[in-house]
Amino acid sequence: MKLRPSSKSSARDAFARAEAAAKFIRAKTKLRPQIAVVLGSGLGAFADALETATRIPYSRIPGFPLSTADGHAGHLVVGQSGGIAVAVMQGRVHLYEGYSPAEVVFPTRVLGRLGIRAAILTNASGGVNLSLKPGALVIVRDHINLLGRNPLIGPNDERFGPRFPDMTDAYSSSYRRAALEEAKRLGIEIREGVYAAVPGPSYETPAEIRYLRTIGADLVGMSTVPEVIAACHMGIRVLGISCVTNMAAGILDQPLNHQEVLDTGERVSRQFIGLLRAVIPRLAADLKA
Ligand code: HPA
């Protein structure tokens, strides 16, 4: 008897399901965005400031997973930022909620089928690099996947992308440069760093944080990496921006809590929104070039 992985038909279905969800979204709006923004914990306010916006609850979009974490609203907002069409995900799902890697990246694939070519992925993170401070904004230069999972495991559907996607420039160097320039212009202090993704939901131990620092991580968080992998697979270029909402475990003499993560996100959200609004035209110009 020949053994083969069992998920072939579901991998095939994923494409059809992503197409169906994209078609549903297209029918709700005349806008045809090529840029997406995914907003992390406590960073949802950007979507509320969009022009000509259509808000679609995730619960209405066929196949969309529902976020269960506090601080994640669960709406896809298609609107305009400074006249540029954008699709904004107000909230995302995580592996720690019990979703499979394929479910976590389903929205990314829907965005890809919708015509998205550039994605700004934001998140909240713990600062691992000792020179960071809570409230700092950091452009993600690269990542370390410690989730123990990869959303591309299983049969490859070439309609999404190649079997072995290159991750060398996963966080587009030209987008990073554009974001650094815009931050400088706005007087926002910003740096670049490496994001380590861990499964959560428990925060890390102090020993784990020392380990992460040793292997070259500046930030730690529980999201983003599956989406970046799925985006890369589909040829979507990524800009990652992280808000350091707390210093990681064991650095300060205090326990970590989720409320601190949300509060810090709120505190820097104005700066964050300013940066997003400034970067979007740069990405739009780059797509046209
Ligand atoms: N660890 C993991 N994920 C996080 C943290 C943290 O300290 N802060 C925000 N997301």
Side-chain angles (χ1 to χ4, degrees):
M1 193 177 79
K2 205 167 162 189
L3 290 179
R4 52 173 98 196
S6 59
S7 51
K8 185 143 194 149
S9 65
S10 68
R12 290 271 158 210
D13 289 357
F15 189 87
R17 287 188 289 110
E19 265 310 303
K23 193 172 163 200
F24 174 89
I25 295 161
R26 245 180 249 121
K28 299 272 176 229
T29 171
K30 288 199 177 67
L31 296 174
R32 295 291 175 259
Q34 294 195 322
I35 299 176
V37 183
V38 179
L39 300 171
S41 304
L43 304 172
F46 171 74
D48 300 327
L50 295 177
E51 309 118 43
T52 56
T54 303
R55 282 164 70 86
I56 313 171
Y58 291 167
S59 59
R60 303 272 304 282
I61 306 174
F64 243 58
L66 301 181
S67 21
T68 62
D70 275 1
H72 287 258
H75 289 99
L76 177 72
V77 186
V78 183
Q80 289 176 300
S81 173
I84 297 165
V86 288
V88 180
M89 286 184 54
Q90 215 173 13
R92 58 153 64 88
V93 300
H94 309 79
L95 291 173
Y96 65 71
E97 293 173 84
Y99 288 110
S100 68
E103 287 168 322
V104 168
V105 303
F106 182 72
T108 310
R109 288 175 163 166
V110 173
L111 291 172
R113 298 312 303 164
L114 195 62
I116 296 303
R117 295 166 58 208
I120 306 177
L121 304 178
T122 71
N123 61 47
S125 62
V128 172
N129 186 315
L130 297 173
S131 66
L132 289 167
K133 289 191 181 63
L137 294 180
V138 179
I139 293 168
V140 181
R141 175 158 49 83
D142 204 345
H143 75 221
I144 301 173
N145 181 7
L146 298 174
L147 296 168
R149 320 279 280 274
N150 186 306
L152 306 184
I153 288 175
N156 185 55
D157 191 328
E158 293 278 336
R159 291 172 296 177
F160 284 129
R163 172 75 292 187
F164 300 109
D166 176 41
M167 298 286 290
T168 312
D169 197 40
Y171 299 84
S172 160
S173 49
S174 64
Y175 287 5
R176 287 191 275 126
R177 209 173 314 119
L180 286 170
E181 284 169 13
E182 290 306 313
K184 191 169 177 201
R185 201 174 58 78
L186 294 169
I188 298 172
E189 211 183 302
I190 202 158
R191 331 206 333 219
E192 287 192 295
V194 173
Y195 177 90
V198 295
S202 50
Y203 287 116
E204 303 68 43
T205 62
E208 287 166 342
I209 295 304
R210 289 193 297 275
Y211 162 73
L212 293 179
R213 195 175 301 123
T214 307
I215 64 172
D218 300 298
L219 310 165
V220 60
M222 305 175 192
S223 70
T224 311
V225 161
E227 294 148 63
V228 172
I229 294 170
C232 253
H233 188 219
M234 299 183 86
I236 299 171
R237 292 171 72 196
V238 170
L239 173 65
I241 311 178
S242 189
C243 172
V244 176
T245 51
N246 57 280
M247 289 313 287
I251 296 177
L252 304 177
D253 191 17
Q254 63 187 51
L256 270 54
N257 71 80
H258 186 55
Q259 196 54 47
E260 179 190 6
V261 170
L262 298 183
D263 291 348
T264 310
E266 291 289 323
R267 182 159 63 77
V268 298
S269 72
R270 269 189 46 175
Q271 242 189 8
F272 208 99
I273 290 171
L275 181 60
L276 288 176
R277 293 187 72 87
V279 165
I280 285 167
R282 298 286 304 262
L283 268 51
D286 194 79
L287 288 176
K288 277 208 198 106

